[in-house]
Amino acid sequence: EMEKKQVMTSRMHRFAIVVGILILLAAFTVLITGTLSSGEANAKAECSLKTLTGTFVFEGKGVFIDGEGEDAAVISYAESGFQTFDGDGNFDGVFSASLNGEALASQEYFTGTYRYEGDCVYTNFAPVGGETLVVHMFLTREGTYLSYLGPGVSGTAVKP
């Protein structure tokens, strides 16, 4: 009789362990499936002209080459400011910049346009003097963080 109870208890114990493992596996499967589904939804989310909207605080650094050959000088550049995109292809903002450690701009207002290129990539067109500065911007699908690259400068911007 005692032996039957021990066998029965042992079987119930194994059964409980198996059921526990199955419950954990089911919970893990639901968790993983939900995570993958939300990740797939985010990966499939598309950007548009309207995805890039609102105010971003930016910071960038770079170098410019002044002159040619052995006489060429490398000049450091730094900038920071904020830029507001309207979702319709226009922006404005304020920035400060330095060139080789000397102030180049101090809280200067600027305007420009931007266009959507596809796959969350944008091109920013900013008039500077008689030229147009072209900057490529790469936006997260959530529309809150971007990196940018232009002639001699690269940086990041975040929507606070």
Side-chain angles (χ1 to χ4, degrees):
E1 187 71 33
M2 182 70 134
E3 196 175 305
K4 278 186 177 181
K5 281 186 178 181
Q6 286 177 342
V7 168
M8 193 66 135
T9 303
S10 178
R11 284 184 183 163
M12 289 175 65
H13 190 268
R14 280 192 299 242
F15 178 76
I17 290 173
V18 168
V19 168
I21 290 171
L22 289 175
I23 289 171
L24 285 174
L25 284 173
F28 183 73
T29 302
V30 168
L31 177 67
I32 292 298
T33 303
T35 302
L36 290 176
S37 295
S38 66
E40 288 171 5
N42 287 340
K44 291 178 183 176
E46 279 298 315
C47 289
S48 69
L49 192 62
K50 298 224 180 277
T51 307
L52 183 51
T53 185
T55 300
F56 286 76
V57 177
F58 67 88
E59 171 181 61
K61 297 178 182 171
V63 297
F64 295 98
I65 307 299
D66 185 26
E68 295 181 22
E70 291 180 15
D71 296 330
V74 176
I75 300 172
S76 63
Y77 175 82
E79 66 182 10
S80 68
F82 64 86
Q83 186 170 359
T84 302
F85 300 91
D86 69 0
D88 290 323
N90 303 294
F91 65 80
D92 68 351
V94 173
F95 83 110
S96 295
S98 68
L99 194 59
N100 222 22
E102 301 286 325
L104 175 68
S106 180
Q107 300 178 14
E108 288 192 24
Y109 179 75
F110 64 95
T111 64
T113 60
Y114 65 101
R115 106 179 144 220
Y116 179 61
E117 304 294 348
D119 201 25
C120 297
V121 177
Y122 300 79
T123 303
N124 190 336
F125 303 94
V128 178
E131 302 291 319
T132 298
L133 177 63
V134 178
V135 176
H136 299 287
M137 301 179 299
F138 307 90
L139 183 68
T140 60
R141 294 191 190 291
E142 297 78 26
T144 58
Y145 180 85
L146 66 82
S147 63
Y148 63 92
L149 177 67
V153 65
S154 66
T156 57
V158 64
K159 187 190 279 189

